[in-house]
Amino acid sequence: MSRTWAHALEVARTKLAAAVESADVDARLLAEFVHGGVPSGSEMITDAEVAAFEQAVSQREKRVPLQHITGTMYFRYLELESGPGTFVVRPETEMVVEAVIEEIACLAAQQSRQRPVVVDLCTGSGAIALAIATETSAQVMAVELSEEAHESASRNSARYGHPITLIRGDALSAFEELAGRVDVVVSNPPYVRGDEELAPEVTHDPQIALFGGGDDGLEMPTKIIARAHYLLRVGGILIMEHGEEQSSALRGVARRCGFGEVSTGQDLTGRDRWLRARKDEA
């Protein structure tokens, strides 16, 4: 029996309401994904669309991330591919990028720093690196260990004309040739605590991108701070995302590594979400 998109959306919202808080939005976005655009309510849904839409709704009912179903995620001004094996970027990370852009603007005001060098450690999909490269004049380099994530970042970079230098490797040993020469290091490393209860959607992210090591999740962030200090020039800046309960501990780590002007940035809800630290004179 033929039916309209309005009816299909009503059924989808009812199904999703029992599983997710964003049932209305998710149903609409899945409909746009299946239809290839915004369907009018009175438009008839084809048999092929019914099958595809029902499958997509069923996946979302099971708490598969919307981004994995549609294959697309959005970050600042970017449209990026998304799928299993790649970390889904969160809105709060956009503020981490904003903090980096502010630092770059300060550097650009210095005549000798017109094109500052920025290194992104643990780049994942490349979202942070690409946002910085497409919004500033910085020379951006990024590293990712996971083969799947690196391939995804490569495709995302290609979509925007390859504005970043991307390598596959270990963030704790990459860019040796840049030691003491980097202006800004940015990172969204794995930092989730080992005992943290995760939302079902988060469990679809690769574990390598989630868990920071140890019950407190601080092992990898601590190593990233040390690596950033090694790569940065004197006066260089580290901006690193972290969990809201990790701010005090990581400020202490940064000071012990030789950073000064250590502070914590908050997201729009007032939660501690990233570390800012300036490398002091040796």
Side-chain angles (χ1 to χ4, degrees):
M1 182 176 68
S2 61
R3 55 177 172 169
T4 64
W5 267 105
H7 177 262
L9 279 165
E10 182 180 356
V11 172
R13 290 189 194 101
T14 300
K15 288 182 177 180
L16 291 176
V20 299
E21 295 181 358
S22 53
D24 288 350
V25 172
D26 288 5
R28 175 177 56 79
L29 291 175
L30 290 174
E32 293 177 10
F33 165 65
V34 168
H35 188 65
V38 181
S40 66
S42 60
E43 191 173 353
M44 304 306 294
I45 183 171
T46 68
D47 290 342
E49 287 176 328
V50 168
F53 189 48
E54 289 181 348
Q55 181 183 27
V57 171
S58 176
Q59 287 182 289
R60 189 67 188 106
E61 276 188 284
K62 297 172 184 175
R63 305 294 291 271
V64 175
L66 183 72
Q67 297 89 340
H68 284 189
I69 300 170
T70 64
T72 301
M73 58 186 177
Y74 297 92
F75 185 76
R76 292 181 67 86
Y77 305 104
L78 303 173
E79 180 179 309
L80 306 170
E81 73 165 47
S82 176
T86 303
F87 184 81
V88 176
V89 288
R90 271 61 169 180
E92 56 265 27
T93 305
E94 296 194 10
M95 298 187 68
V96 171
V97 171
E98 191 65 36
V100 174
I101 290 174
E102 290 176 6
E103 299 294 343
I104 291 171
C106 291
L107 290 169
Q110 306 171 25
Q111 293 301 315
S112 61
R113 300 286 178 189
Q114 288 301 306
R115 194 165 188 234
V117 175
V118 177
V119 167
D120 178 11
L121 302 178
C122 310
T123 195
S125 66
I128 290 176
L130 287 167
I132 294 167
T134 55
E135 294 182 49
T136 75
S137 62
Q139 179 183 357
V140 183
M141 304 180 182
V143 59
E144 173 54 44
L145 181 61
S146 162
E147 181 178 2
E148 283 184 285
H150 176 265
E151 290 177 355
S152 178
S154 296
R155 291 189 291 270
N156 285 327
S157 182
R159 177 180 294 189
Y160 292 95
H162 298 287
I164 64 175
T165 298
L166 174 67
I167 67 170
R168 184 181 173 210
D170 190 337
L172 303 180
S173 59
F175 303 121
E176 188 70 21
E177 71 281 6
L178 296 177
R181 297 168 47 202
V182 177
D183 294 295
V184 180
V185 170
V186 61
S187 183
N188 181 12
Y191 57 74
V192 175
R193 301 191 319 270
D195 61 353
E196 187 166 341
E197 185 175 342
L198 302 175
E201 286 85 354
V202 178
T203 62
H204 289 269
D205 283 323
Q207 290 198 358
I208 192 175
L210 288 174
F211 296 102
D215 291 340
D216 57 9
L218 293 177
E219 289 182 16
M220 189 62 177
T222 295
K223 292 176 180 177
I224 289 292
I225 291 172
R227 186 63 181 176
H229 189 271
Y230 177 75
L231 292 174
L232 287 166
R233 63 174 175 81
V234 172
I237 300 294
L238 165 65
I239 302 288
M240 185 185 74
E241 184 170 331
H242 57 65
E244 59 183 293
E245 75 289 349
Q246 297 171 329
S247 56
S248 178
L250 291 175
R251 287 196 301 271
V253 171
R255 292 189 183 100
R256 289 192 294 274
C257 279
F259 283 100
E261 294 184 19
V262 178
S263 60
T264 299
Q266 288 81 34
D267 64 16
L268 293 176
T269 66
R271 298 177 301 166
D272 290 352
R273 290 316 308 265
W274 70 87
L275 171 74
R276 179 195 182 274
R278 181 181 184 275
K279 182 175 178 178
D280 278 347
E281 295 282 349

